[in-house]
């Protein structure tokens, strides 16, 4: 009879988090841009160039409810919702004239945004996959090679999650990346029931789950010394 225990989500930050973050801050990620993301970016980039406005980016927008809310709140901005799922984007019913939706890989799209120097005022990363298993640290955005690029997108960064450990790790990664005005707030279900930005928020609120919001202001990324598994700098 198997004695394996069911998996339990990590409740403390990953012990190798700092090592991974500092390594990514010290190296450039050179993976080629996927063709479909380049094509999608070119379409929306042409629109932004032809009618220049400040940009608000909604990364991982899902069915687009959050994009619609942001577009309504910022009618003088372009609000760009990006998701990798064509199925989720097909459900987007937003008809705000300043909203655009893009099917793309975020890790590629962010690099294109930085390269094109989009005037992104605010960047929202709402409810990313927390990849709760410790072995998947490098799939979490703050443990991914694209982390320094993510930080370069937008003047202000907002991340929301229902995972306490993801919020803790994100805040630590921001600190080690020397970002400014880092703040973490707990959002109560009562606060979100009638003011949910997305279907995820409404679902969590109805379940009575607290949510976590981590915000920061962009600072230039400086090359960092790498840290070895033993804790020594090099």
């Amino acid at each position: 009879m198997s004695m394996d225990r069911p998996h339990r989500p990590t409740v403390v930050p990953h012990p190798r988090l700092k090592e991974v973050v500092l390594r990514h801050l010290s190296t450039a990620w050179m993976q080629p841009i996927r063709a479909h993301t380049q094509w999608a970016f070119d379409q929306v980039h042409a629109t932004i160039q032809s009618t220049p406005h400040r940009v608000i980016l909604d990364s991982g927008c899902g069915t687009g409810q959050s994009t619609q809310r942001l577009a309504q709140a910022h009618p003088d901005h372009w609000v760009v919702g990006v998701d990798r799922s064509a199925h989720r984007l097909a459900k987007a019913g937003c008809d705000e004239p300043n909203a655009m939706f893009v099917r793309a890989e975020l890790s590629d799209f962010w690099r294109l945004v930085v390269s094109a120097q989009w005037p992104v005022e605010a960047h929202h990363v709402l409810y990313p996959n927390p990849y709760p298993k410790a072995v998947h640290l490098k799939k979490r955005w703050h443990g991914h090679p694209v982390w320094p690029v993510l930080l370069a997108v937008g003047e202000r960064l907002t991340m929301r999650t229902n995972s306490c450990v993801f919020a803790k790790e994100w805040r630590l990664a921001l600190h080690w990346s020397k970002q400014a005005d880092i703040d973490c707030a707990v959002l109560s279900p009562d606060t979100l029931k009638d003011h949910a930005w997305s279907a995820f928020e409404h679902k969590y609120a109805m379940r009575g789950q607290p949510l976590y919001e981590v915000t920061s202001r962009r600072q230039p990324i400086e090359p960092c010394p790498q840290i070895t598994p033993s804790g020594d700098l090099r």
Side-chain angles (χ1 to χ4, degrees), residues 62-185:
T63 59
Q65 183 178 331
S66 53
T67 306
Q68 179 173 358
R69 290 267 186 160
L70 290 166
Q72 291 169 342
H74 303 277
D76 56 344
H77 290 63
W78 285 118
V79 180
V80 182
V82 186
D83 203 274
R84 68 186 298 180
S85 169
H87 177 70
R88 287 192 290 267
L89 287 173
K91 297 180 180 181
C94 176
D95 57 1
E96 300 299 323
N98 60 321
M100 293 184 283
F101 292 97
V102 185
R103 178 178 175 265
E105 295 291 336
L106 285 172
S107 57
D108 293 345
F109 196 83
W110 291 333
R111 285 184 284 165
L112 293 170
V113 166
V114 171
S115 178
Q117 298 182 339
W118 274 18
V120 180
E121 183 175 296
H123 183 194
H124 296 267
V125 183
L126 304 180
Y127 306 101
N129 188 332
Y131 288 105
K133 294 183 179 181
V135 69
H136 292 151
L137 170 63
K138 294 181 182 179
K139 291 187 176 182
R140 303 169 197 167
W141 286 131
H142 47 269
H144 192 281
V146 81
W147 175 247
V149 180
L150 188 164
L151 295 179
V153 177
E155 298 169 8
R156 300 190 311 277
L157 175 63
T158 299
M159 188 280 296
R160 286 186 175 183
T161 180
N162 68 324
S163 168
C164 180
V165 69
F166 194 95
K168 288 180 179 178
E169 290 187 349
W170 186 279
R171 185 176 184 179
L172 286 170
L174 289 170
H175 171 71
W176 293 323
S177 305
K178 299 181 180 180
Q179 299 304 285
D181 300 336
I182 302 167
D183 186 55
C184 185

